[in-house]
């Protein structure tokens, strides 16, 4: 990790859902996944979003889309793709050159014979894991 030693805390505001899609608890699940990842993979302490932490993370889920891919004969696709997009604003109160406001996205495919409802939790786990890793790498690992 390439954080300055004086950076010790992070606050993660509750993400909001601007996508118009996804399960009712999508923002809570994503926010908790972000907090857990930072707790498990850094020495940062999680602070309540009150503006006093060294690092601030906030954002919104801006896209939740299912699109057909891998067309087959006829009018059906062999696979469907769930894509989630998240806009993240990161503020480093100790070093403003590290600040960013960036989009992140990832997707997972599922067989057209399965419904989104039947695979949604599994797909969101894969998608969220990758997006959270990307956010972590860009914000504190400086990748």
């Amino acid at each position: 990790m390439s954080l300055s030693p004086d950076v010790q805390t992070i606050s993660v505001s509750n993400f909001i859902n601007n996508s118009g899609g996804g399960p009712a608890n999508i923002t809570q699940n994503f926010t908790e996944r972000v907090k857990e990842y930072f707790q498990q993979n850094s020495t940062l302490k999680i602070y309540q979003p009150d503006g006093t932490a060294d690092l601030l993370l906030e954002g919104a889920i801006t896209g939740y889309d299912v699109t057909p891919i891998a067309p087959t004969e006829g009018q059906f696709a062999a696979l469907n793709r769930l894509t989630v997009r998240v806009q993240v604003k990161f503020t480093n109160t100790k070093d403003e050159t590290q600040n960013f406001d960036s989009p992140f996205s990832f997707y997972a495919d599922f067989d057209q014979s399965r419904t989104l409802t039947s695979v949604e939790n599994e797909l969101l786990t894969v998608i969220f894991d990758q997006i959270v890793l990307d956010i972590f790498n860009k914000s504190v690992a400086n990748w």
Side-chain angles (χ1 to χ4, degrees):
M1 184 178 304
S2 55
L3 283 176
S4 168
D6 62 334
V7 174
Q8 299 178 357
T9 59
I10 185 169
S11 79
V12 180
S13 295
N14 289 327
F15 280 73
I16 57 173
N17 187 356
N18 289 339
S19 73
N25 63 350
I26 190 170
T27 58
Q28 179 183 358
N29 286 348
F30 185 76
T31 302
E32 289 306 311
R33 185 75 49 92
V34 171
K35 288 178 183 177
E36 287 171 11
Y37 194 88
F38 275 81
Q39 282 181 316
Q40 293 170 358
N41 294 283
S42 75
T43 58
L44 295 169
K45 293 187 177 23
I46 303 289
Y47 272 32
Q48 293 302 315
D50 61 4
T52 61
D54 300 325
L55 305 177
L56 312 171
L57 259 179
E58 56 190 312
I61 296 171
T62 58
Y64 186 93
D65 304 301
V66 177
T67 53
I69 60 168
T72 61
E73 285 188 42
Q75 299 179 354
F76 299 102
L79 293 173
N80 290 311
R81 174 170 289 170
L82 173 61
T83 304
V84 177
R85 288 180 303 285
V86 180
Q87 186 71 29
V88 176
K89 181 179 179 188
F90 172 75
T91 305
N92 182 330
T93 64
K94 305 285 187 182
D95 180 1
E96 66 184 39
T97 65
Q98 302 291 316
N99 296 354
F100 65 81
D101 191 345
S102 299
F104 295 86
S105 68
F106 200 68
Y107 64 86
D109 298 336
F110 62 101
D111 191 271
Q112 64 87 17
S113 66
R114 300 183 71 191
T115 65
L116 176 61
T117 306
S118 70
V119 296
E120 190 170 44
N121 287 338
E122 175 186 331
L123 297 177
L124 285 176
T125 297
V126 171
I127 292 168
F128 284 178
D129 284 350
Q130 184 61 53
I131 292 174
V132 170
L133 175 63
D134 292 346
I135 292 168
F136 181 84
N137 285 341
K138 184 163 184 171
S139 61
V140 299
N142 287 329
W143 284 59

